[in-house]
Structure formats: structure tokens, C-alpha cells
Amino acid sequence: GLAVTPRAPAPTRHVASEPEDPRTRPTVSPTSAERFAARVRARRRRRRLLAALAVLLLGGLGWAAVWSPWATVTDVQVAGTSRVPAAAVEAAGDTEIGRSMLFSRTGEVADRVRREQPLVRVVTVTRHWPSTIRIAVTEREPVAAVPGKGEVRLVDADGVTVERLTGARTRDTEGLPRVEVDLTRPEAVESLRACVEVARGLPPELRRLVRRIGATTPDRVGLQLTGGARVDWGSGDETPRKAEVLLALLPQKGSLYDVRSPETPAVRH
């Protein structure tokens, strides 16, 4: 028979392929992308929810501050009154009862107290949450007794009359210096303050000898002593030195002692 020689298998052809573009290669699986998108949506929902809650909170606070019955004025407290009737000061604040604490007119209340109560030197009106307005006043305090026709006026450092004493009470001046100042003059307040400054600077042994202190201008302060002699004091400057010089001069009996210049004093007999 004929022998059949088997044929060799045909060689395999290799077809060259183009290299894969890395930009088109999928890097995230569809499942991971969906989870990422879900997280982004969740964050956005949380932000919107927080923003809505912030708006509601601010709106609630605004309502509470303006309209809530727990944030309206229901009480007025007064502190610091002695000569001034507390009820009169409180009446100035009662106009705010029922008004929102936030919009209470504290400045107008203070102005009314100053206008209606001349014996109040300083007034402060403050809010005390949730519902109280507090009015604190500092009253005028007398610093001198100014004698007049049939009366003695106790005046403060601004020349404002704090109290009028008549009759037997004219001697009840609470240890205040008696000051003779014409309060109608242009420099009356400055003259008054100069007299008070001198009076406060006198040593006790000299203060006992002074009956009255007066001034026509701040630089023309004069003293009247218990024996009738007068002292030309000048301004309130160098009061301790002038007092020392005057005490040294008093053994020389005179009708006028001039200590305006303590280095060159003079005595008139």
C-alpha cells in the first residue's frame, strides 16, 4: 500500500494589535461609582438640612427676642436714690413695660430722668434679661452751704441747689463750708469750686477759725475768720503752703492777712 505522510500543521499567524489607551481603561467599577454618587448626594442633603435648621433657629431666636412674652419688659428696678423719690424715677421706666427688651428705649428713659429729676447727677439705664430694666442713679451731693436771704442753700460742685434750709435749720449745714458766691455771675460755678477746694485743703486747726469763704472770681478767694479779720487767699493753688504761712502770721493781730503769694505775705493792722 501507499504510505501517507502526515502534513505538518500550518504555522499560526500572529496579528499585531494596537496598544490599549490607558485613558479608556475603566478605573472604577460601576458599583463603586454608584456608592460615591450616593455619598455625595447624602452630604448635599445634610448640608441643606443643616442650613434649614440654622434658618429655623435664627428665626426662632429673632421671634423670641422681639415677640416672645418672656423677652418683654415686665419689671423696672431703681437703685441709688435717697433725696430723689424712687417712684418718680421708676415712672420714667414704666413707659417701657410691655415693650420688647431688644427695642426698649433705654436712652429715652435716661433723658427723661435727667430732665425731670435735677438732683440726679448721673443716670445709667441697662437691660437685664429676660425682662428687667434697671435704672441706677447717682444723686448730687452738697459740697458747700451758700447763705442767702432767710435761707441757706446746700449746693453741689456744679452750683445746683440740693436742699434749702430755713429758720432754725440754717445752722444745720452738715459740717459744710459756708461759701459766699453769687451764683448768678458768669463764673459762679468756677468760683464755687475754688472755694470748696480751699476749704477742703485747710488743716483742722485753721478750719476751726474760718467763719466763711467767698469768691468773686476763681482767682479771688477770701476767708473771714471768727475774730472778724479777713484773709486775701487768691486762687486755690498752693493751699497747704498758704495755710502754713497764715498760721504763722495769726499771732500778729491784724485786720487783713494777704497770702496770695505765700513767699511774700503781708499783714494789715
Side-chain angles (χ1 to χ4, degrees):
L2 295 175
V4 180
T5 303
R7 298 177 62 181
T12 304
R13 286 186 175 183
H14 295 282
V15 180
S17 61
E18 296 181 359
E20 184 179 5
D21 188 346
R23 291 176 298 179
T24 62
R25 185 185 304 163
T27 57
V28 180
S29 67
T31 304
S32 298
E34 290 174 0
R35 286 199 297 268
F36 177 76
R39 286 197 297 270
V40 171
R41 289 193 296 272
R43 284 197 295 269
R44 288 176 179 170
R45 285 195 297 269
R46 284 196 296 270
R47 284 198 294 266
R48 286 195 292 268
L49 178 60
L50 290 174
L53 289 175
V55 171
L56 289 175
L57 179 60
L58 290 175
L61 291 175
W63 176 86
V66 178
W67 303 111
S68 170
W70 295 283
T72 58
V73 181
T74 61
D75 186 32
V76 176
Q77 297 178 355
V78 176
T81 57
S82 176
R83 290 184 172 87
V84 178
V89 177
E90 185 178 346
D94 285 344
T95 57
E96 303 306 295
I97 295 292
R99 183 180 293 272
S100 164
M101 282 284 289
L102 189 62
F103 296 116
S104 56
R105 299 164 297 186
T106 56
E108 292 185 17
V109 172
D111 289 341
R112 181 179 172 184
V113 172
R114 280 189 289 265
R115 185 173 60 252
E116 297 180 354
Q117 306 300 326
L119 295 187
V120 171
R121 185 171 62 85
V122 179
V123 56
T124 304
V125 182
T126 53
R127 301 179 183 91
H128 289 261
W129 297 86
S131 58
T132 300
I133 283 182
R134 184 171 299 168
I135 306 174
V137 303
T138 301
E139 296 182 335
R140 297 184 180 276
E141 294 294 334
V143 298
V146 180
K149 294 182 179 180
E151 66 175 11
V152 172
R153 288 186 290 173
L154 307 185
V155 299
D156 77 337
D158 295 324
V160 176
T161 300
V162 176
E163 187 176 355
R164 295 177 183 269
L165 306 179
T166 58
R169 294 191 63 211
T170 57
R171 295 188 295 271
D172 184 17
T173 56
E174 305 175 9
L176 299 174
R178 294 216 166 201
V179 174
E180 292 185 344
V181 172
D182 184 356
L183 295 176
T184 63
R185 295 175 65 89
E187 294 182 298
V189 173
E190 290 78 7
S191 299
L192 173 69
R193 289 173 179 167
C195 291
V196 172
E197 180 183 0
V198 171
R200 288 176 172 173
L202 296 178
E205 60 270 28
L206 183 56
R207 193 179 305 134
R208 288 192 295 266
L209 302 176
V210 176
R211 178 180 296 172
R212 292 189 181 182
I213 301 177
T216 53
T217 68
D219 296 327
R220 296 293 302 274
V221 178
L223 313 182
Q224 183 181 18
L225 304 181
T226 53
R230 293 181 297 112
V231 181
D232 202 346
W233 195 271
S235 69
D237 297 336
E238 298 185 89
T239 289
R241 175 60 177 155
K242 291 177 181 179
E244 180 183 357
V245 170
L246 178 59
L247 286 172
L249 293 176
L250 286 179
Q252 303 179 40
K253 297 300 182 180
S255 61
L256 176 65
Y257 300 88
D258 188 345
V259 293
R260 287 175 296 176
S261 176
E263 303 308 319
T264 56
V267 180
R268 182 184 299 172
H269 297 284

PDB file of all heavy atoms in Angstrom, residues 235-247:
ATOM      1  N   SER A 235      -6.093 132.327  94.491  1.00  0.00           N
ATOM      2  CA  SER A 235      -6.636 131.114  93.883  1.00  0.00           C
ATOM      3  C   SER A 235      -6.486 129.933  94.838  1.00  0.00           C
ATOM      4  O   SER A 235      -5.937 130.060  95.937  1.00  0.00           O
ATOM      5  CB  SER A 235      -5.907 130.807  92.572  1.00  0.00           C
ATOM      6  OG  SER A 235      -4.583 130.404  92.826  1.00  0.00           O
ATOM      7  N   GLY A 236      -6.949 128.784  94.385  1.00  0.00           N
ATOM      8  CA  GLY A 236      -6.835 127.580  95.214  1.00  0.00           C
ATOM      9  C   GLY A 236      -5.481 126.915  95.130  1.00  0.00           C
ATOM     10  O   GLY A 236      -5.262 125.881  95.790  1.00  0.00           O
ATOM     11  N   ASP A 237      -4.567 127.477  94.349  1.00  0.00           N
ATOM     12  CA  ASP A 237      -3.223 126.894  94.231  1.00  0.00           C
ATOM     13  C   ASP A 237      -2.446 127.071  95.530  1.00  0.00           C
ATOM     14  O   ASP A 237      -2.622 128.049  96.255  1.00  0.00           O
ATOM     15  CB  ASP A 237      -2.449 127.563  93.085  1.00  0.00           C
ATOM     16  CG  ASP A 237      -3.114 127.336  91.732  1.00  0.00           C
ATOM     17  OD1 ASP A 237      -3.850 126.341  91.602  1.00  0.00           O
ATOM     18  OD2 ASP A 237      -2.899 128.154  90.817  1.00  0.00           O
ATOM     19  N   GLU A 238      -1.583 126.127  95.813  1.00  0.00           N
ATOM     20  CA  GLU A 238      -0.664 126.174  96.963  1.00  0.00           C
ATOM     21  C   GLU A 238      -1.404 126.309  98.292  1.00  0.00           C
ATOM     22  O   GLU A 238      -0.896 126.931  99.233  1.00  0.00           O
ATOM     23  CB  GLU A 238       0.329 127.331  96.820  1.00  0.00           C
ATOM     24  CG  GLU A 238       1.236 127.245  95.604  1.00  0.00           C
ATOM     25  CD  GLU A 238       2.268 128.349  95.589  1.00  0.00           C
ATOM     26  OE1 GLU A 238       3.368 128.144  96.163  1.00  0.00           O
ATOM     27  OE2 GLU A 238       1.961 129.429  95.038  1.00  0.00           O
ATOM     28  N   THR A 239      -2.587 125.724  98.382  1.00  0.00           N
ATOM     29  CA  THR A 239      -3.367 125.851  99.614  1.00  0.00           C
ATOM     30  C   THR A 239      -2.597 125.372 100.850  1.00  0.00           C
ATOM     31  O   THR A 239      -2.592 126.067 101.883  1.00  0.00           O
ATOM     32  CB  THR A 239      -4.708 125.116  99.472  1.00  0.00           C
ATOM     33  OG1 THR A 239      -5.534 125.858  98.570  1.00  0.00           O
ATOM     34  CG2 THR A 239      -5.428 124.991 100.812  1.00  0.00           C
ATOM     35  N   PRO A 240      -1.920 124.219 100.839  1.00  0.00           N
ATOM     36  CA  PRO A 240      -1.188 123.801 102.048  1.00  0.00           C
ATOM     37  C   PRO A 240      -0.123 124.816 102.468  1.00  0.00           C
ATOM     38  O   PRO A 240       0.028 125.112 103.668  1.00  0.00           O
ATOM     39  CB  PRO A 240      -0.555 122.463 101.637  1.00  0.00           C
ATOM     40  CG  PRO A 240      -1.427 121.964 100.545  1.00  0.00           C
ATOM     41  CD  PRO A 240      -1.859 123.184  99.792  1.00  0.00           C
ATOM     42  N   ARG A 241       0.590 125.370 101.496  1.00  0.00           N
ATOM     43  CA  ARG A 241       1.644 126.350 101.827  1.00  0.00           C
ATOM     44  C   ARG A 241       1.021 127.636 102.359  1.00  0.00           C
ATOM     45  O   ARG A 241       1.521 128.226 103.346  1.00  0.00           O
ATOM     46  CB  ARG A 241       2.470 126.633 100.563  1.00  0.00           C
ATOM     47  CG  ARG A 241       3.531 127.721 100.743  1.00  0.00           C
ATOM     48  CD  ARG A 241       4.530 127.359 101.805  1.00  0.00           C
ATOM     49  NE  ARG A 241       5.572 128.382 101.924  1.00  0.00           N
ATOM     50  CZ  ARG A 241       6.279 128.592 103.003  1.00  0.00           C
ATOM     51  NH1 ARG A 241       6.074 127.850 104.092  1.00  0.00           N
ATOM     52  NH2 ARG A 241       7.213 129.528 103.030  1.00  0.00           N
ATOM     53  N   LYS A 242      -0.054 128.097 101.751  1.00  0.00           N
ATOM     54  CA  LYS A 242      -0.723 129.312 102.211  1.00  0.00           C
ATOM     55  C   LYS A 242      -1.268 129.120 103.630  1.00  0.00           C
ATOM     56  O   LYS A 242      -1.200 130.048 104.462  1.00  0.00           O
ATOM     57  CB  LYS A 242      -1.858 129.685 101.261  1.00  0.00           C
ATOM     58  CG  LYS A 242      -1.382 130.148  99.901  1.00  0.00           C
ATOM     59  CD  LYS A 242      -2.557 130.442  98.973  1.00  0.00           C
ATOM     60  CE  LYS A 242      -2.080 130.886  97.592  1.00  0.00           C
ATOM     61  NZ  LYS A 242      -3.210 131.159  96.679  1.00  0.00           N
ATOM     62  N   ALA A 243      -1.819 127.942 103.904  1.00  0.00           N
ATOM     63  CA  ALA A 243      -2.339 127.683 105.251  1.00  0.00           C
ATOM     64  C   ALA A 243      -1.216 127.719 106.280  1.00  0.00           C
ATOM     65  O   ALA A 243      -1.370 128.265 107.387  1.00  0.00           O
ATOM     66  CB  ALA A 243      -3.034 126.320 105.272  1.00  0.00           C
ATOM     67  N   GLU A 244      -0.060 127.164 105.931  1.00  0.00           N
ATOM     68  CA  GLU A 244       1.086 127.169 106.834  1.00  0.00           C
ATOM     69  C   GLU A 244       1.546 128.598 107.116  1.00  0.00           C
ATOM     70  O   GLU A 244       1.812 128.964 108.278  1.00  0.00           O
ATOM     71  CB  GLU A 244       2.219 126.361 106.197  1.00  0.00           C
ATOM     72  CG  GLU A 244       3.480 126.281 107.040  1.00  0.00           C
ATOM     73  CD  GLU A 244       4.592 125.520 106.330  1.00  0.00           C
ATOM     74  OE1 GLU A 244       4.349 125.016 105.207  1.00  0.00           O
ATOM     75  OE2 GLU A 244       5.714 125.464 106.887  1.00  0.00           O
ATOM     76  N   VAL A 245       1.588 129.423 106.080  1.00  0.00           N
ATOM     77  CA  VAL A 245       2.019 130.816 106.251  1.00  0.00           C
ATOM     78  C   VAL A 245       1.008 131.587 107.083  1.00  0.00           C
ATOM     79  O   VAL A 245       1.377 132.377 107.974  1.00  0.00           O
ATOM     80  CB  VAL A 245       2.210 131.478 104.874  1.00  0.00           C
ATOM     81  CG1 VAL A 245       2.420 132.982 105.029  1.00  0.00           C
ATOM     82  CG2 VAL A 245       3.386 130.846 104.148  1.00  0.00           C
ATOM     83  N   LEU A 246      -0.290 131.374 106.837  1.00  0.00           N
ATOM     84  CA  LEU A 246      -1.317 132.091 107.582  1.00  0.00           C
ATOM     85  C   LEU A 246      -1.263 131.742 109.065  1.00  0.00           C
ATOM     86  O   LEU A 246      -1.383 132.639 109.929  1.00  0.00           O
ATOM     87  CB  LEU A 246      -2.696 131.769 107.013  1.00  0.00           C
ATOM     88  CG  LEU A 246      -3.884 132.427 107.727  1.00  0.00           C
ATOM     89  CD1 LEU A 246      -3.760 133.952 107.707  1.00  0.00           C
ATOM     90  CD2 LEU A 246      -5.202 131.982 107.099  1.00  0.00           C
ATOM     91  N   LEU A 247      -1.081 130.478 109.391  1.00  0.00           N
ATOM     92  CA  LEU A 247      -0.985 130.092 110.798  1.00  0.00           C
ATOM     93  C   LEU A 247       0.215 130.768 111.475  1.00  0.00           C
ATOM     94  O   LEU A 247       0.153 131.120 112.657  1.00  0.00           O
ATOM     95  CB  LEU A 247      -0.883 128.567 110.917  1.00  0.00           C
ATOM     96  CG  LEU A 247      -2.175 127.777 110.651  1.00  0.00           C
ATOM     97  CD1 LEU A 247      -1.892 126.281 110.598  1.00  0.00           C
ATOM     98  CD2 LEU A 247      -3.215 128.081 111.736  1.00  0.00           C
TER      99      LEU A 247
END
